[in-house]
Amino acid sequence: NAGVTQTPKFRILKIGQSMTLQCTQDMNHNYMYWYRQDPGMGLKLIYYSVGAGITDKGEVPNGYNVSRSTTEDFPLRLELAAPSQTSVYFCASSYSGVREQFFGPGTRLTVL
Amino acid sequence: QKEVEQNSGPLSVPEGAIASLNCTYSDRGSQSFFWYRQYSGKSPELIMSIYSNGDKEDGRFTAQLNKASQYVSLLIRDSQPSDSATYLCAVNSAGGTSYGKLTFGQGTILTVHP
């Protein structure tokens, strides 16, 4: 039982490039989330999903896109990377909407 | 604007002391409350969850919830150097929906010195 896994662990992008951050969970959770964490700050919700085929925006969705075709996977797409997207990205999953969320190890992204 | 505020740090306590971390929230409809511990360069790790008023104890950790005062706290007894980390308060601001969006505080850095 690996829990929540994320790839890659680190990535450096040039301004204007695109990439997809991968997230997979093996706990059969319906709820999945993407957060970003800037240095010394709390976590900000980017997008979330309550099940396959259902996604919605969080607090800071601009510059990102998501899809959820399976229960297990919730990839985050960055289009036209900008320096403001330099951050650590965490994926999380939860059994229900009011229960605890479990976090993946994170992806550290730098945009230069 | 739904907000979660934590007591400003950093907080420094001697080994063996009690560390007290506090958090207030603005959404009266909040239903569930969590404390996460985050070591530098690592992901948040769940320490405690609490859903009803009162105290909940788990080993050296006690979470306290007072919904009337919109206040949740975490006490760490017999603090150890390994407890040194950033502690994040998270509040479920579902507001009656089941979407379970967590709002996080900015975190309190705790240092336990020998």
Side-chain angles (χ1 to χ4, degrees), chain A:
Chain A
N1 193 340
V4 181
T5 58
Q6 293 182 238
T7 57
K9 287 186 170 56
F10 304 94
R11 184 71 184 268
I12 298 175
L13 280 182
K14 294 183 179 178
I15 295 172
Q17 287 185 320
S18 300
M19 76 165 295
T20 299
L21 281 65
Q22 301 291 345
C23 175
T24 300
Q25 54 91 11
D26 62 1
M27 296 176 282
N28 202 32
H29 287 169
N30 281 325
Y31 294 76
M32 296 188 74
Y33 311 85
W34 274 106
Y35 295 91
R36 60 175 288 172
Q37 186 176 37
D38 298 324
M41 304 293 287
L43 292 100
K44 302 291 187 185
L45 181 65
I46 305 171
Y47 270 95
Y48 67 98
S49 170
V50 301
I54 306 170
T55 63
D56 204 351
K57 296 177 181 178
E59 188 179 355
V60 289
N62 291 343
Y64 308 95
N65 271 303
V66 294
S67 60
R68 182 98 180 270
S69 57
T70 67
T71 298
E72 296 78 20
D73 300 307
F74 190 40
L76 177 71
R77 178 79 177 163
L78 278 73
E79 304 283 1
L80 298 175
S84 61
Q85 293 178 305
T86 294
S87 190
V88 180
Y89 291 84
F90 292 105
C91 179
S93 73
S94 176
Y95 173 73
S96 79
V98 295
R99 297 295 298 271
E100 59 273 6
Q101 295 180 14
F102 298 94
F103 286 80
T107 295
R108 188 175 296 274
L109 176 67
T110 302
V111 182
L112 299 174

Side-chain angles (χ1 to χ4, degrees), chain A residues 31 33 35 37 40-43 45 48 50 56-59 90 96-106 108, chain B residues 1 31-32 34 36 38 41-46 49 51 88 92 94 97-107:
Chain A
Y31 294 76
Y33 311 85
Y35 295 91
Q37 186 176 37
M41 304 293 287
L43 292 100
L45 181 65
Y48 67 98
V50 301
D56 204 351
K57 296 177 181 178
E59 188 179 355
F90 292 105
S96 79
V98 295
R99 297 295 298 271
E100 59 273 6
Q101 295 180 14
F102 298 94
F103 286 80
R108 188 175 296 274
Chain B
Q1 179 74 17
Q31 301 175 36
S32 45
F34 308 95
Y36 286 84
Q38 187 175 26
K42 301 295 185 181
S43 60
E45 172 193 10
L46 182 71
S49 57
Y51 302 94
L88 299 168
N92 178 289
T97 73
S98 61
Y99 292 159
K101 290 188 285 186
L102 287 186
T103 300
F104 285 83
Q106 76 277 21

Side-chain angles (χ1 to χ4, degrees), chain B residues 67-94:
Chain B
K67 289 186 178 181
S69 300
Q70 296 176 243
Y71 173 91
V72 58
S73 67
L74 179 70
L75 299 177
I76 306 174
R77 292 182 299 281
D78 188 24
S79 295
Q80 301 297 310
S82 59
D83 295 325
S84 298
T86 298
Y87 288 81
L88 299 168
C89 173
V91 176
N92 178 289
S93 54

